[in-house]
């Protein structure tokens, strides 16, 4: 059973939420961050990029301490305040393509994560876990929820739909033309129904935020007597609301092979068709597209190689590793090898073509997105996908709700 609880969020005042909320730090380049901070004194970027105040890049523990200082200043100035009562938060995002995502921001339990009631599908990097744990411990808050998905639940759907008939506490549109809505839920009957509904769900699945949840689990070990450290902020949405995109792979070189010898090596694994200038995008699992030397190719995994022994074996990102990246191109560490880059499937294929045509990369590969069924099957088997197997939406804004330890 899942232990999903309300919590006393720290959040912006209604009049400033649209100014405070920001995309995750890594989505901006330095120029973009600096421009937004110069124009908006209320941006959450001022908290997470505190060196801007001193026109200096600040790193490590010094940065963490300054983040805490900026955060306290935002609270002291009344930009942020803490909820008086524990609450769940119904959160809705409508993106510029009119895709809608609706779920519940709540506190998930570290023990559920440790006991595999909350399941993972992706490996994490130990030093990143440790660094983020140190960050959380120093600053004393977490502003980025872990995205968790749950199976369709009629009771939760009814509660959410009922609450959304009321005026939202927050309603604002970003410069990216995404519209965000938030409804705090403090009514005792509704709170109990939400808690009870989650307690009847056997398994939840992390969709995005593996490092954040892993860091929270590490942090909980050092603060076992403090209840607030035994939970982490999550955004829980039904499986039908997830949108999963593929990651295309871009490779710097052909590992010393000529174009002809590379195609011959591929022939051992795939039936290859040259599509010329006609864009090919796969329509079936185990079919791949390739762009090489100004031409598109379709690659169909040979039927003799389609004997799979685990859910991971039949995953297309794993097949690409085992048939092309490792044996032919000698890319064994797909997480850290500088010869490989990734472009999420929301981007136009022309952007990938341009990067190959420019000579920056030698070849590009694409495939169909991972399905939610594949994600769950791999997590249920205790297996982990290769890095960059999924690009999952929604992506939440930072600073709308904050979990304070």
């Amino acid at each position: 059973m899942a232990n999903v609880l309300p919590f006393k969020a720290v959040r912006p005042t209604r009049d400033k939420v649209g100014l405070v909320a920001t995309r995750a730090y890594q989505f901006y380049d330095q120029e973009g961050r600096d421009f937004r901070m110069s124009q908006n004194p209320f941006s959450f970027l001022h908290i997470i990029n505190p060196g801007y105040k001193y026109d200096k890049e600040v790193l490590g523990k010094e940065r963490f301490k300054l983040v805490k200082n900026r955060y306290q200043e935002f609270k002291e100035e009344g930009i942020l305040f803490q909820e008086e009562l524990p609450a769940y938060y119904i959160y809705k995002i409508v993106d510029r393509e009119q895709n809608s995502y609706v779920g519940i921001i709540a506190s998930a339990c570290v023990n559920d994560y440790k006991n595999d009631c909350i399941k993972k599908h992706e490996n994490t990097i130990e030093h990143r876990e440790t660094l983020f744990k140190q960050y959380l411990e120093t600053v004393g808050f977490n502003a980025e929820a872990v995205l968790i998905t749950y199976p369709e639940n009629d009771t939760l759907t009814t509660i959410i739909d009922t609450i959304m008939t009321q005026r939202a506490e927050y309603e604002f549109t970003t410069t990216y033309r995404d519209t965000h809505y938030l409804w705090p839920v403090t009514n005792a009957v509704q709170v109990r129904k939400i808690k009870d509904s989650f307690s009847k769900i056997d398994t939840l699945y992390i969709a995005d935020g593996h490092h954040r949840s892993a860091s929270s689990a590490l942090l909980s070990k050092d603060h076992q007597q403090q209840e607030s450290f035994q939970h982490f902020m999550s955004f829980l949405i039904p499986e039908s609301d997830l949108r999963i995109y593929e990651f295309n792979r871009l490779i710097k070189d052909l590992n010393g092979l000529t174009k002809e010898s590379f195609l011959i090596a591929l022939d051992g694994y795939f039936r290859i068709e040259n599509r010329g200038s006609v864009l090919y995008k796969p329509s079936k699992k185990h079919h791949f597209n390739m762009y090489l030397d100004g031409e598109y190719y379709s690659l169909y995994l040979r039927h003799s190689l389609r004997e799979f022994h685990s859910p991971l074996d039949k995953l297309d990102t794993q097949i690409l590793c085992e048939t092309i990246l490792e044996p032919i191109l000698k890319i064994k560490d797909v997480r850290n090898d500088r010869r490989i880059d990734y472009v999420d499937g929301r981007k136009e294929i022309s952007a990938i073509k341009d990067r190959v045509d420019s000579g920056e990369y030698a070849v590009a590969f694409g495939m169909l997105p991972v399905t939610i069924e594949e994600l769950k099957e791999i997590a249920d088997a205790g297996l982990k996908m290769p890095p960059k197997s999924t690009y999952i939406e929604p992506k939440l804004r930072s600073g709308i709700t904050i979990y304070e330890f």
Side-chain angles (χ1 to χ4, degrees), residues 184-219:
V185 183
T186 56
N187 175 277
V189 173
Q190 292 173 327
V191 166
R192 186 178 66 252
K193 284 183 178 179
I194 292 172
K195 183 175 183 293
D196 290 347
S197 295
F198 278 114
S199 72
K200 295 172 184 175
I201 297 175
D202 292 329
T203 307
L204 303 172
Y205 296 86
I206 295 176
D208 192 21
H210 286 81
H211 282 92
R212 277 165 271 157
S213 49
S215 300
S216 295
L218 275 180
L219 188 62

Side-chain angles (χ1 to χ4, degrees), residues 1 24 115 119 126 143 228 244 327 350 397:
M1 56 182 281
N115 298 332
K119 292 190 175 181
E126 185 175 355
S228 61
I244 305 178
S350 59
R397 294 265 158 166

Side-chain angles (χ1 to χ4, degrees), residues 339-357:
R339 296 168 56 214
I340 187 169
D341 198 4
Y342 303 90
V343 177
D344 70 77
R346 300 170 310 148
K347 306 265 191 325
E348 291 292 334
I349 198 70
S350 59
I352 298 162
K353 175 182 181 298
D354 290 345
R355 294 177 75 178
V356 175
D357 288 345

Side-chain angles (χ1 to χ4, degrees), residues 34-35 87 95 109 121 135 181 210 231 283 321 333 344 356 374:
D34 288 351
F35 175 76
D95 67 21
C109 181
H121 68 266
Y135 171 82
Y181 306 83
H210 286 81
H231 302 268
S283 59
C321 285
D333 183 359
D344 70 77
V356 175
E374 288 176 310

Side-chain angles (χ1 to χ4, degrees), residues 209-239:
H210 286 81
H211 282 92
R212 277 165 271 157
S213 49
S215 300
S216 295
L218 275 180
L219 188 62
S220 72
K221 293 179 183 179
D222 294 345
H223 300 273
Q224 295 184 22
Q225 304 308 312
Q226 295 170 266
E227 183 63 22
S228 61
F229 286 92
Q230 307 310 311
H231 302 268
F232 57 93
M233 187 170 65
S234 301
F235 180 41
L236 300 105
I237 70 171
E239 293 170 6

